Amino acid sequence: NAGVTQTPKFRVLKTGQSMTLLCAQDMNHEYMYWYRQDPGMGLRLIHYSVGEGTTAKGEVPDGYNVSRLKKQNFLLGLESAAPSQTSVYFCASTPMVLNTEAFFGQGTRLTVV
Amino acid sequence: TQLLEQSPQFLSIQEGENLTVYCNSSSVFSSLQWYRQEPGEGPVLLVTVVTGGEVKKLKRLTFQFGDARKDSSLHITAAQPGDTGLYLCAGLTSEGGKLIFGQGTELSVKP
């Protein structure tokens, strides 16, 4: 089983460039999440989705956009990258059932120079 | 805004010692989860606690959910170098599907 797959795994961007991170899950999960992880900050929620066609803001949404056109995919966009967006990005998914496990991708390491 | 505060942020101990990590909030959570993350990997679920006062054991790890369901603790007995990693608590907020995490506790167990 593939589980949750993130693409790409590494990327270096110049300030002002744009990019899209792709998260794909094959478990038919309803809920999907994008987090960023910085040293000493744990996982901070950027945006999340509770179903196809829906998105909602998390704790640190500024500078990011998301789309969930298909249930299995959750895209995270950076329209104009800034050095402050240098981070490791994780995608996760869960079924629409309380108290169930969140499954994570392997992460995308993004550096903005 | 519901927040989860973890302490301590860093913990460096010798093999064989015991330790406790705390996860606190001013808000009530329907459940709390504990995850462990190793370098270069995504977090992996250790346990979910659901009932106030609940205690769950996973080998040398003991998890407790506070009676008021606002806090949780993770206790490790006789820590081993293999326990080294980042431990994260997480909870679903009242905003329907929003899953938030604490800042994490970086544990280092030296042989």
Side-chain angles (χ1 to χ4, degrees):
Chain A
N1 286 342
V4 179
T5 303
Q6 290 183 230
T7 311
K9 291 188 169 42
F10 303 93
R11 185 74 186 268
V12 178
L13 281 181
K14 292 184 179 179
T15 298
Q17 285 185 319
S18 63
M19 80 164 294
T20 300
L21 282 67
L22 170 63
C23 177
Q25 52 96 2
D26 61 1
M27 297 172 283
N28 202 35
H29 285 172
E30 290 292 333
Y31 294 176
M32 296 187 74
Y33 305 87
W34 274 109
Y35 296 91
R36 60 176 290 173
Q37 187 170 40
D38 303 292
M41 304 290 285
L43 290 169
R44 291 185 292 169
L45 181 63
I46 305 172
H47 286 283
Y48 66 105
S49 168
V50 297
E52 181 179 312
T54 74
T55 62
K57 292 182 180 180
E59 302 164 294
V60 288
D62 293 343
Y64 305 95
N65 57 74
V66 287
S67 65
R68 182 103 182 264
L69 299 179
K70 292 183 178 180
K71 186 177 182 178
Q72 62 267 33
N73 296 336
F74 196 27
L75 278 62
L76 177 70
L78 285 74
E79 288 187 350
S80 179
S84 60
Q85 294 177 304
T86 293
S87 188
V88 180
Y89 292 84
F90 284 98
C91 175
S93 72
T94 70
M96 193 178 61
V97 177
L98 278 180
N99 308 325
T100 55
E101 178 176 2
F103 293 85
F104 284 82
Q106 294 284 76
T108 295
R109 184 173 293 277
L110 175 67
T111 302
V112 182
V113 298
Chain B
T1 302
Q2 290 176 277
L3 295 172
L4 289 170
E5 301 280 345
Q6 271 186 254
S7 62
Q9 214 174 333
F10 300 96
L11 200 50
S12 181
I13 61 172
Q14 294 295 129
E15 182 176 0
E17 292 184 5
N18 301 330
L19 66 114
T20 302
V21 176
Y22 300 93
C23 177
N24 296 304
S25 177
S26 58
S27 307
V28 173
F29 282 84
S30 59
S31 66
L32 284 179
Q33 297 179 318
W34 286 92
Y35 289 78
R36 180 165 174 258
Q37 185 180 20
E38 298 196 43
E41 304 285 333
V44 176
L45 181 69
L46 293 173
V47 78
T48 301
V49 285
V50 179
T51 306
E54 181 178 7
V55 176
K56 281 191 174 178
K57 292 194 175 184
L58 193 65
K59 297 184 181 178
R60 293 177 291 101
L61 279 60
T62 301
F63 304 85
Q64 188 160 5
F65 200 12
D67 291 339
R69 293 187 288 128
K70 292 183 178 182
D71 55 87
S72 181
S73 64
L74 158 60
H75 182 80
I76 301 180
T77 303
Q80 298 178 0
D83 295 326
T84 293
L86 179 67
Y87 290 82
L88 296 151
C89 67
L92 271 176
T93 73
S94 56
E95 294 174 68
K98 188 176 181 181
L99 181 65
I100 62 169
F101 283 77
Q103 311 98 308
T105 296
E106 190 78 52
L107 172 65
S108 173
V109 183
K110 301 185 189 316

